[in-house]
Amino acid sequence: MKDKLSVRSCFLRRACKTGLTIVSAASLLMVLPRGNAHAEPPVQMASAGHLSALSIEDLMQIEVYSAAKQVETVFTTSAAIYVITAEDIRNSGVTSLADALRLAPGVQVARIDGNKWSVGIRGFAGRFATKLMVIQDGRTLYNSLFSGVYWNVQEPMLEDIEQIEIIRGPAATLWGVNAVNGVINITTKHAKDTTGGIVTASVGSEERASTAARYGAKIGDNGYFRIYGKYFYRDAQFPVDQSDAGDSFWNEWRGGFRGDWDINVNNKATLQGDAYTSRVANYWYNGQNILGRWQRTLSDTSNMSVQLFFDQTTIQNRISSDDREARNTGDIELQHVFTLGSRNHLIWGTGYRLMSDQLNENPVMGQPTYSPPRSTDQLFTAFVQDKITLLPDTLYFIVGSRVEHNETTGWEVQPTGRLLLTPSEQHTLWGAVSRAVRTPSRAEKSISTDMWQDSAGNWPHLNGNPNLPAENMIAYEGGYRYQPLTDLSFDLALFYNDYSSLVGVKADTPSDGGVQLSITPTATAISKGGELAINWRPLTWTDFVLAYSYLDMTVNSTSSYELDRVVMYADTAPSNQVSLKSVLTLPEHVKCTLWFRYVSGIHGSTPVYDVSDYGTLDARIAWKPVPDLELSVVGQNLFEPNHYEFGQDVFGNLPAQVRRSVYGKVTWAF
């Protein structure tokens, strides 16, 4: 695989430069005045789409929730936050939630094969990114078996997403353990905003078939609801042996509902749920969840909320009934926001989570077992944070901490201190020091499995460690936002992260020969870098977004084992990423998107992790012949027939090459 990647490297560098030139030139030609026909498109074209008509100034005032667990604006947030809007998702032409995350700076997204992704923020990316918290409408998508997210079952109806808020950096004070490198918070639309119906259908070379439908209506005088259903069938990608043997197709059925009620002036309620069944190769993924939330306004300066959710997941091997994972999660959280005097704005909360699972009980060839096969864990949490006004409308100090108790490492404390300076409406500066921890996963504590063959010809056996400590990270961050013009903004964030007690793999040679592996703290690490996002709208019908990310990571491991997991994860994040997206709203109800991406190469500790740099271009053109009907064509990865985005992962899965693809889509609203 390395030889193939090396051969492609020179070509890809030229392609990247050529592609960037093409995108820039094409965008510039579109912007330059070329006569009355294009100098000022009709007003209705600029207003097509909810957020496309907003100025950059308005976009910077979009309300976000993730950084403070209460409403504030993007521009005045004391964290590195980026918002992917519903319009961003639609214009990009992406078909999966994981691919939509590529729109944000500082997020490393790589497709492993036709149904697996590596997703990370500021390093340590992987199929199961262990230091990343993912949330949808308040419900955590985190899976405690591998400390990560099964991205192949996180496929909501994209048309229902209101926005995706991405925090780069620790957010453990408010969101808890495992929110170490960042938080991805997916918010779906209020049921009031989805009345009426919508139907979508698409066909293509890789997106073989996809359809979705949603209908919403009013209930009584103060309630709204919606229901939706979705199906897709996606083809395998292009495996290393240039056949479909190493990859698999993927299909999924999904449905759900949401209801929102304004009970009275002071009380609101939400009830929502989803169910899905997904087939990938020889595995069935099944799940269902339900969530309820009650919000009460106590006064003009005080409000509280209570949220409960239950999530059930089952993964079953179609061939062997003994290869099975079943998991139940129940969670309740209380939160209270209030103002104390004229200077203190406080938020506090407490919560309880109960997690139970049933895993492989009998040895299955090639599959791990766990001891004990059944487990129940509890998590108790409490947090408080105060935003203190030092100078009115200018200088703020944010301080807080979260205390949690889990059954593996006991008590964990995760504090933060932040400064926020807003000297004028055009400038925001912020800085922060935070501590975050990641607690051991179920697999790290109890797994027993044979690993793949190492370079010495050994087939080592891996055993879990029930006495693992938590991984620690101290983060130093700072940022600057500047809006010199109404339609131009800059957002810069810098960081320095210091990790300790990182869990890796250590090799031992027992007296009877062979190699035994144990999971134990093996490493420390330092990561540093920054992200820059520039938004520019020179005319009412043109949008440009440039994002650049830089990451430098150094890992010091005490393990001599060549496949130490800490080193493997450190080798999965590229040092440089560039994204340039232009959206042009043209006459005759036509919208065109060009999206260029460049990702630098990865040179791992062993050749199996190597990936050459690559550049790619996605293009979308959409036409609305009538207001409620949209026809679109999307081309993805257009520079070459196929390319690698990821090397061998920590579980030994071989990567596939991501193929060039094209699909057509029809969207009808009624």
Side-chain angles (χ1 to χ4, degrees):
M1 185 178 73
K2 185 178 180 180
D3 291 338
K4 293 181 182 179
L5 296 175
S6 299
V7 170
R8 295 166 49 245
S9 182
C10 292
F11 169 78
L12 284 174
R13 289 190 184 94
R14 297 192 195 101
C16 293
K17 295 177 181 178
T18 304
L20 185 58
T21 303
I22 293 172
V23 174
S24 303
S27 302
L28 182 60
L29 289 173
M30 292 291 190
V31 173
L32 292 174
R34 295 186 295 157
N36 294 334
H38 293 79
E40 192 62 38
V43 173
Q44 63 267 29
M45 293 308 299
S47 63
H50 174 60
L51 290 172
S52 61
L54 298 179
S55 67
I56 302 299
E57 183 178 30
D58 294 329
L59 291 174
M60 296 303 290
Q61 298 304 314
I62 289 177
E63 293 182 341
V64 293
Y65 175 81
S66 303
K69 269 201 171 181
Q70 52 190 305
V71 174
E72 56 186 0
T73 67
V74 172
F75 199 74
T76 58
T77 299
S78 60
I81 192 167
Y82 189 88
V83 177
I84 301 172
T85 67
E87 188 72 7
D88 291 334
I89 296 172
R90 185 174 71 173
N91 288 336
S92 68
V94 298
T95 57
S96 68
L97 179 60
D99 280 335
L101 302 178
R102 300 179 193 265
L103 291 162
V107 182
Q108 293 96 27
V109 179
R111 195 162 190 176
I112 300 174
D113 58 25
N115 51 73
K116 302 179 189 70
W117 280 265
S118 165
V119 178
I121 295 178
R122 294 180 174 178
F124 293 104
R127 182 184 173 193
F128 300 108
T130 61
K131 299 172 181 60
L132 182 63
M133 180 65 71
V134 184
I135 301 152
Q136 181 176 330
D137 291 325
R139 176 176 60 88
T140 179
L141 306 183
Y142 177 87
N143 183 289
S144 59
L145 177 60
F146 289 110
S147 292
V149 176
Y150 286 105
W151 289 103
N152 60 300
V153 297
Q154 311 307 332
E155 289 292 325
M157 187 171 174
L158 295 182
E159 287 78 8
D160 283 349
I161 294 177
E162 178 68 26
Q163 61 190 39
I164 303 174
E165 301 173 18
I166 298 177
I167 298 177
R168 309 183 305 278
T173 297
L174 296 179
W175 294 102
V177 293
N178 308 311
V180 177
N181 280 12
V183 171
I184 297 173
N185 188 13
I186 304 142
T187 304
T188 61
K189 297 175 181 177
H190 192 284
K192 184 178 181 180
D193 299 324
T194 55
T195 57
I198 186 171
V199 177
T200 70
S202 63
V203 294
S205 58
E206 301 301 317
E207 298 287 330
R208 291 299 181 88
S210 175
T211 185
R214 178 241 292 157
Y215 181 75
K218 191 173 183 180
I219 309 175
D221 296 330
N222 56 8
Y224 295 86
F225 82 97
R226 69 166 175 263
I227 56 174
Y228 80 93
K230 177 179 179 179
Y231 169 79
F232 64 80
Y233 176 91
R234 291 173 182 163
D235 200 5
Q237 293 297 311
F238 201 72
V240 289
D241 60 0
Q242 299 188 1
S243 71
D244 284 343
D247 197 2
S248 177
F249 68 88
W250 172 25
N251 62 16
E252 179 174 300
W253 292 91
R254 175 181 290 268
F257 71 94
R258 173 165 175 164
D260 291 287
W261 293 267
D262 292 334
I263 300 172
N264 54 43
V265 175
N266 295 322
N267 293 276
K268 299 179 181 181
T270 296
L271 182 66
Q272 62 188 95
D274 303 272
Y276 63 85
T277 180
S278 175
R279 180 183 172 185
V280 178
N282 291 323
Y283 284 89
W284 284 107
Y285 293 77
N286 299 288
Q288 45 274 323
N289 62 79
I290 189 166
L291 178 146
R293 185 185 306 111
W294 171 57
Q295 298 169 283
R296 177 172 176 80
T297 300
L298 302 175
S299 69
D300 291 341
T301 60
S302 176
N303 64 80
M304 67 174 295
S305 65
V306 177
Q307 176 184 280
L308 302 92
F309 76 78
F310 176 76
D311 189 292
Q312 184 179 60
T313 302
T314 303
I315 304 173
Q316 177 68 61
N317 190 316
R318 296 173 56 246
I319 299 174
S320 172
S321 60
D322 290 324
D323 184 9
R324 185 174 186 268
E325 174 190 347
R327 181 173 306 281
N328 297 317
T329 303
D331 185 278
I332 181 171
E333 183 181 72
L334 167 70
Q335 179 177 297
H336 182 206
V337 179
F338 65 99
T339 298
L340 185 63
S342 60
R343 292 182 177 271
N344 299 84
H345 196 76
L346 288 102
I347 177 172
W348 71 273
T350 184
Y352 171 75
R353 181 173 300 168
L354 180 65
M355 299 164 286
S356 65
D357 62 43
Q358 181 177 350
L359 306 173
N360 299 349
E361 296 193 42
N362 300 308
V364 180
M365 183 173 294
Q367 299 299 327
T369 58
Y370 303 88
S371 179
R374 301 187 183 202
S375 174
T376 300
D377 293 305
Q378 301 179 85
L379 179 67
F380 299 88
T381 69
F383 70 90
V384 62
Q385 182 167 289
D386 187 10
K387 184 176 183 179
I388 306 168
T389 302
L390 301 180
L391 294 174
D393 301 321
T394 303
L395 182 62
Y396 305 88
F397 178 52
I398 299 98
V399 62
S401 185
R402 189 180 192 98
V403 179
E404 298 191 346
H405 184 273
N406 66 84
E407 298 185 4
T408 303
T409 66
W411 293 100
E412 299 292 349
V413 180
Q414 300 173 96
T416 188
R418 298 173 180 270
L419 276 175
L420 176 66
L421 176 65
T422 55
S424 71
E425 294 182 354
Q426 288 76 39
H427 302 271
T428 294
L429 294 97
W430 64 272
V433 179
S434 308
R435 178 180 186 264
V437 304
R438 182 187 76 85
T439 55
S441 69
R442 169 81 152 96
E444 289 169 331
K445 295 183 292 183
S446 61
I447 196 169
S448 176
T449 187
D450 291 322
M451 301 293 285
W452 60 94
Q453 190 175 26
D454 61 24
S455 59
N458 298 309
W459 294 89
H461 186 82
L462 177 67
N463 291 306
N465 182 354
N467 301 312
L468 286 172
E471 295 182 335
N472 295 278
M473 189 261 275
I474 303 296
Y476 307 89
E477 304 176 89
Y480 174 53
R481 299 185 185 97
Y482 176 45
Q483 189 174 341
L485 303 171
T486 302
D487 291 306
L488 177 65
S489 70
F490 300 85
D491 190 344
L492 173 67
L494 303 173
F495 65 91
Y496 181 95
N497 296 335
D498 187 353
Y499 301 87
S500 60
S501 300
L502 294 177
V503 174
V505 177
K506 182 180 179 182
D508 299 307
T509 304
S511 58
D512 58 352
V515 176
Q516 293 290 323
L517 303 178
S518 59
I519 297 177
T520 186
T522 63
T524 60
I526 297 292
S527 68
K528 53 183 179 290
E531 302 102 14
L532 174 66
I534 302 175
N535 286 263
W536 182 39
R537 179 173 292 170
L539 298 172
T540 58
W541 53 284
T542 59
D543 288 275
F544 299 91
V545 180
L546 173 65
Y548 171 70
S549 306
Y550 173 73
L551 173 68
D552 179 30
M553 179 173 289
T554 303
V555 175
N556 296 308
S557 177
T558 60
S559 173
S560 59
Y561 182 53
E562 64 186 60
L563 300 180
D564 182 18
R565 193 183 70 161
V566 178
V567 179
M568 292 179 71
Y569 275 132
D571 290 336
T572 58
S575 297
N576 296 277
Q577 291 190 118
V578 179
S579 171
L580 175 61
K581 181 166 66 76
S582 64
V583 181
L584 310 171
T585 305
L586 306 174
E588 305 301 328
H589 308 285
V590 174
K591 183 172 286 189
C592 176
T593 302
L594 296 172
W595 183 17
F596 169 79
R597 300 190 307 276
Y598 169 76
V599 179
S600 64
I602 299 172
H603 303 289
S605 56
T606 63
V608 296
Y609 311 139
D610 286 2
V611 179
S612 290
D613 60 337
Y614 69 90
T616 189
L617 177 71
D618 292 357
R620 177 181 183 266
I621 186 164
W623 174 48
K624 283 191 171 184
V626 295
D628 295 330
L629 179 66
E630 183 180 73
L631 309 176
S632 60
V633 176
V634 178
Q636 297 174 319
N637 304 300
L638 296 178
F639 277 165
E640 54 186 337
N642 42 73
H643 67 274
Y644 289 103
E645 295 185 355
F646 199 78
Q648 180 172 300
D649 73 2
V650 71
F651 299 95
N653 294 306
L654 293 177
Q657 298 184 57
V658 180
R659 289 170 167 163
R660 176 191 293 149
S661 65
V662 62
Y663 74 88
K665 183 176 181 180
V666 178
T667 303
W668 176 44
F670 58 93

